[in-house]
Amino acid sequence: MLDRFIKAYNEAVFETDKEAAFTAVNTALAEGIPPEDIVFKIVIPAVEEMMSNITKDPDANLAQHFMTAQIAAEVTEKMLEKFEHPPEIIGRVVIGTAHGDLHSLGKRIVMGCLKALMVEATDLGVNVPAEKFVDEAIARDAQVIAMSAMMVHTATGEDGACKVRQILKERGLEQRFKLIVGGAPYRYDTELYQAVGADSWAPDGVNAARAIINLIQQVKHRDSAQDI
Amino acid sequence: MTLLVVHSRLGKHRFEVAKGLSVREALDITALRVRAACGGTGACGACVIHLVGGEVSAPTVAEYMKLGSDERAAGARLACQVRLKGDTEIRLDRPAPPSPWKSIPLENLKPLTHGLPELRAHTLGVAIDLGTTQIRVSLLDRRSGRRIATRRGPNPQGVFGADILNRLEAARANPAHAAELAKLVRTAILRAVRDILARDIGEVKAMLAEIGQVFIVGNTAMLALLGGRGADTLLDPANWQGAIDCRPHDVTPWRAKGALPCAELVMPDPVAGFVGSDLVADLLATGLTEGPAGALLLDIGTNTEIALWDGATLHVTSVAGGPAFEGSGIRHGMAAEPGAIDSVCSVENHYRWRTIGGGAPQGFCGSGLVDAIALLLADGRLKPSGRFASPPGPDGYPLDPNHPNTAITGPDIDAFQRAKAATAAAMSQLLIQAGMTWRELRRLCVCGAFGRTLHLGHAQAIGLLPAVHPGLIELHAEAALAGCEQALLSPGGVQCFDALTAKTKTINLSLLPGYEDRYIEHLRLRPIALTPTTGQRP
């Protein structure tokens, strides 16, 4: 029975038809599918498939990414409200655009995918000072700081990723948080992320979610290794 | 429309032109201009062409005076005197040297209503709409309120990048670049003015001194780059909400010999960091605040600026409409210039295109792209998601298989969807800020890149414009230039701008949390829902 809903949901997502996606999910609920199954067996596999498709399709359509990430986030949010027990969170990330940068839509895709993949993402908004990235990461007990910068001067500027790295270094926090960057300038120069002191980067919003999960696992793995 | 065929050393050119124009008027808007040194009165005799055949007006007195009988017997005519009555073929042996400056088609210009009769000296004035990709110039006799001529040409700052940010970044990083960027535009404007004086008056040096005022409007970044300062200020969002003074500190280069020795340089302050004075010029030209409440104005371009008049306040904002509407970032996209497909219709399952000037298609301009996407959607070849029903491959889907330049690719659709979503979401957000709904719209003025060729039904079907009654929608060409001309011819001048700016309330969409939701809602290719559903979830 689940297969029928998976098919209907995937078709709706492929057509970026939010109304149809919700119809599929609501029908599944009405027919007794638990919200947990909807998230873990329908929504998450759909997000994962989108991730692998994007890597295969170089002409991936950004508008479709926005819409599918939005559907995934909204459906997940709605289902989470209905969970009997809150789901286990994979990890936590604080995300925002670099100081001086108001281009917020890239981070939007990342957040949508993260939400659907059970990562708790705290949106720090746009034009975020470097100090705030670090302070919030501490306050939220995050594993990853994610910074989006769409312009060369905000990607490479003194108040951007470089400064976050400097603060992490000064405050001895480099073991605790991983720093990931994304945005057009890093795509043009694929080594730029290292120059600004980031641990990783991603070429698009969907892959950024995957890269962030990798970093979360690195931090957690190291933590658990230290515990032993 | 009638066909004008021109034979020159450069080959054979075909132009579709309005009947009744003179050959000179018809060619002045193209890259193939006749020589000229007077205002088209037949006084200079420079614009000699040879009539090969066709239906034209009889020779005028001026032609009898300037052309000998043997010349006339050989078919010689003055291009400014010959008016086209039907399909015509001419020979142009000595075209004017190539120039980037062309006249703006007459049908796009608004009639001028009055002058400043009390003005005694330096009565000429120059109105300038300084755009990121194009500069538009109009020379007026301010005393009589007569337009002498117009020009439009490329903004030469393009060498520093088509994008505004690249230019600002270049100016910020290096003072020499900042000076160079300012000089490029100043020189371009002066060249356009000299081109008008040489071709439409026939006297350059003396006339330069007759110019008493240069009135410049543009987006904030262009004004800052022209002023040679402010790139730093503009790149910092902290400064985007307020007015920014862009006027050059040093006007000596403008006043230099061979430049405009007697001209006052007037640059009204832009509204904010991301809303330029070009929007205020649009408001002036359309009289937006003089009409009913619920009047929206869209100036569509790379940076789309939007104003909503609610009867008391002008809510203004801008969005990265994306260069898609100006044809840039589109595989076969181009500006609305000769060779651009500006409209497409569907006839018996075939797509029929029309180009500006009537020649072979070189690509799509904004209005052609809107038509193409709406038709592909209506025919089911394109889905509301923006996906093709069957993927056309990297070369795209050719509307006309005989012309590869008529192909539309997946990434083209994507760029277009994002541009139209930003535009629609911004309009919807402004309505919310003003506490209004789509249904309360009484006027929708569309200015900018689409000119007057936008097909309203198509724009509504794909959700670029709301599906309000078509009678409420006005298409304005060259509104910013018209507003600028209006200010040049009004005793108040710059005060007209200040009065409108005082009514504005600037909204920075990126700081409003609901805007992104709206943007994503509007990405699909479907009509805008006039009754808002945002916020409602199943």
Side-chain angles (χ1 to χ4, degrees):
Chain A
M1 187 164 76
L2 200 59
D3 287 349
R4 183 158 53 90
F5 299 122
I6 293 176
K7 187 165 174 284
Y9 179 80
N10 284 350
E11 268 174 25
V13 167
F14 184 76
E15 298 299 340
T16 67
D17 188 338
K18 190 165 82 182
E19 290 80 7
F22 267 105
T23 305
V25 166
N26 286 335
T27 315
L29 277 179
E31 296 198 15
I33 309 283
E36 289 82 357
D37 280 6
I38 291 178
V39 169
F40 292 109
K41 293 182 180 165
I42 301 182
V43 178
I44 292 186
V47 173
E48 278 166 353
E49 183 170 326
M50 177 167 76
M51 288 180 171
S52 62
N53 282 345
I54 276 175
T55 323
K56 286 180 221 152
D57 176 13
D59 278 344
N61 178 323
L62 206 48
Q64 286 152 19
H65 294 182
F66 284 130
M67 293 187 277
T68 37
Q70 178 77 5
I71 294 171
E74 282 190 30
V75 171
T76 307
E77 199 175 307
K78 205 76 198 165
M79 291 306 113
L80 286 180
E81 292 169 9
K82 299 181 194 290
F83 270 40
E84 258 178 48
H85 306 287
E88 196 185 334
I89 294 296
I90 296 180
R92 293 186 185 82
V93 51
V94 291
I95 184 167
T97 73
H99 180 72
D101 207 312
L102 298 187
H103 296 86
S104 60
L105 282 158
K107 113 181 129 56
R108 178 96 190 191
I109 300 182
V110 186
M111 298 233 341
C113 295
L114 287 175
K115 222 179 246 181
L117 295 171
M118 300 297 136
V119 174
E120 195 179 289
T122 303
D123 186 4
L124 304 181
V126 294
N127 190 20
V128 182
E131 291 81 4
K132 190 171 173 190
F133 275 103
V134 179
D135 292 344
E136 289 287 332
I138 297 170
R140 312 267 166 181
D141 196 18
Q143 289 84 32
V144 175
I145 296 173
M147 296 180 78
S148 161
M150 288 293 160
M151 299 180 285
V152 174
H153 75 279
T154 55
T156 58
E158 291 166 8
D159 296 323
C162 301
K163 182 134 175 218
V164 171
R165 171 57 64 201
Q166 189 195 330
I167 298 172
L168 291 178
K169 202 176 268 176
E170 284 167 6
R171 290 161 69 174
L173 295 168
E174 288 189 290
Q175 293 299 310
R176 189 164 157 198
F177 303 115
K178 292 278 184 191
L179 175 61
I180 181 168
V181 290
Y186 304 108
R187 220 167 31 218
Y188 296 132
D189 175 359
T190 54
E191 280 163 22
L192 183 61
Y193 82 97
Q194 288 168 323
V196 301
D199 296 301
S200 185
W201 77 289
D204 59 69
V206 177
N207 277 301
R210 196 207 302 259
I212 286 172
I213 290 173
N214 285 342
L215 289 180
I216 288 174
Q217 277 154 358
Q218 283 178 32
V219 173
K220 287 200 154 179
H221 182 70
R222 198 187 46 223
D223 287 354
S224 56
Q226 281 170 354
D227 287 348
I228 301 163
Chain B
M1 296 299 260
T2 186
L3 185 67
L4 173 64
V5 177
V6 184
H7 300 271
S8 80
R9 270 172 308 174
L10 303 165
K12 182 177 170 184
H13 300 260
R14 299 156 62 89
F15 302 103
E16 255 178 47
V17 300
K19 270 187 196 175
L21 287 184
S22 72
V23 169
R24 175 174 171 191
E25 284 166 343
L27 293 182
D28 266 356
I29 64 170
T30 74
L32 187 68
R33 305 192 299 179
V34 298
R35 288 172 187 253
C38 75
T41 55
C44 73
C47 60
V48 181
I49 54 148
H50 285 84
L51 189 65
V52 178
E55 213 183 322
V56 296
S57 59
T60 62
V61 176
E63 292 179 274
Y64 279 99
M65 289 172 69
K66 288 289 168 188
L67 301 167
S69 55
D70 46 339
E71 286 176 298
R72 276 183 283 119
R77 297 289 306 265
L78 292 182
C80 67
Q81 302 295 302
V82 188
R83 297 207 169 261
L84 298 164
K85 293 174 143 183
D87 293 354
T88 302
E89 201 166 337
I90 63 161
R91 214 177 67 230
L92 176 55
D93 293 332
R94 293 178 64 237
S99 156
W101 299 102
K102 300 167 189 167
S103 295
I104 298 170
L106 289 170
E107 65 268 23
N108 287 347
L109 299 170
K110 288 205 186 341
L112 306 175
T113 51
H114 59 273
L116 295 168
E118 66 284 2
L119 211 60
R120 285 292 161 253
H122 309 301
T123 55
L124 297 183
V126 185
I128 292 162
D129 173 14
L130 177 53
T132 311
T133 39
Q134 293 252 309
I135 302 176
R136 291 167 168 83
V137 177
S138 169
L139 181 72
L140 304 180
D141 178 354
R142 293 186 290 159
R143 181 151 63 188
S144 64
R146 187 174 68 89
R147 184 185 293 114
I148 293 163
T150 60
R151 292 293 185 271
R152 92 190 150 86
N155 182 331
Q157 290 174 339
V159 295
F160 280 89
D163 189 57
I164 287 180
L165 283 172
N166 291 337
R167 297 186 209 171
L168 285 175
E169 179 60 31
R172 185 193 65 87
N174 185 341
H177 285 164
E180 175 64 17
L181 279 156
K183 188 179 169 194
L184 278 171
V185 167
R186 190 175 64 240
T187 312
I189 290 172
L190 288 173
R191 285 203 178 121
V193 170
R194 296 177 78 102
D195 189 66
I196 294 177
L197 295 178
R199 291 177 59 83
D200 295 277
I201 295 184
E203 166 70 68
V204 177
K205 203 175 157 204
M207 284 298 147
L208 282 171
E210 286 303 311
I211 296 175
Q213 198 176 85
V214 178
F215 202 106
I216 305 179
V217 299
N219 68 53
T220 312
M222 286 309 111
L223 297 175
L225 290 173
L226 177 68
R229 66 207 184 92
D232 257 348
T233 325
L234 266 186
L235 282 168
D236 184 351
N239 303 316
W240 287 4
Q241 297 285 79
I244 291 179
D245 177 11
C246 299
R247 275 167 287 225
H249 278 154
D250 179 14
V251 293
T252 355
W254 287 92
R255 296 292 196 96
K257 205 171 156 215
L260 302 167
C262 304
E264 176 198 6
L265 189 65
V266 183
M267 280 169 63
D269 284 335
V271 178
F274 52 93
V275 181
S277 55
D278 48 354
L279 180 71
V280 186
D282 291 334
L283 295 169
L284 198 59
T286 55
L288 201 78
T289 57
E290 287 151 33
L296 249 176
L297 183 143
L298 268 178
D299 187 338
I300 292 183
T302 307
N303 188 44
T304 293
E305 297 173 326
I306 309 179
L308 170 66
W309 171 242
D310 69 3
T313 303
L314 271 166
H315 303 266
V316 300
T317 194
S318 81
V319 280
F325 295 145
E326 297 194 274
S328 133
I330 301 295
R331 174 78 66 86
H332 300 295
M334 59 184 291
E337 292 194 330
I341 298 174
D342 70 345
S343 103
V344 186
C345 61
S346 177
V347 181
E348 288 164 8
N349 214 21
H350 287 287
Y351 297 116
R352 204 171 280 173
W353 43 263
R354 184 189 74 192
T355 58
I356 297 175
Q362 292 167 27
F364 291 91
C365 66
S367 57
L369 195 61
V370 168
D371 286 346
I373 291 175
L375 291 170
L376 290 171
L377 184 72
D379 294 342
R381 292 190 169 93
L382 195 63
K383 300 209 223 162
S385 62
R387 272 198 186 84
F388 282 97
S390 50
D395 292 333
Y397 181 91
L399 263 57
D400 180 344
N402 299 320
H403 291 282
N405 284 350
T406 64
I408 307 250
T409 68
D412 294 344
I413 306 282
D414 181 34
F416 184 86
Q417 272 177 288
R418 287 184 281 130
K420 78 105 188 170
T423 308
M427 286 191 282
S428 136
Q429 188 74 52
L430 278 194
L431 285 167
I432 289 168
Q433 299 304 117
M436 301 181 88
T437 66
W438 291 114
R439 295 196 183 280
E440 290 171 72
L441 274 193
R442 290 294 164 267
R443 226 184 139 191
L444 175 55
C445 300
V446 183
C447 312
F450 291 124
R452 297 181 309 133
T453 43
L454 184 66
H455 186 297
L456 297 183
H458 288 164
Q460 292 177 324
I462 57 176
L464 170 64
L465 295 181
V468 295
H469 190 279
L472 302 179
I473 305 181
E474 302 163 24
L475 296 177
H476 292 268
E478 309 295 356
L481 187 67
C484 198
E485 289 180 330
Q486 207 171 313
L488 255 180
L489 294 180
S490 86
V494 74
Q495 286 148 22
C496 315
F497 275 69
D498 297 341
L500 281 168
T501 304
K503 294 192 174 104
T504 58
K505 185 178 170 196
T506 311
I507 293 157
N508 189 343
L509 293 172
S510 38
L511 303 177
L512 292 177
Y515 171 69
E516 282 182 10
D517 287 328
R518 265 173 267 291
Y519 169 81
I520 292 169
E521 286 292 323
H522 284 285
L523 281 168
R524 274 168 83 74
L525 299 169
R526 60 175 173 185
I528 294 173
L530 291 190
T531 312
T533 52
T534 312
Q536 284 179 16
R537 281 176 195 167

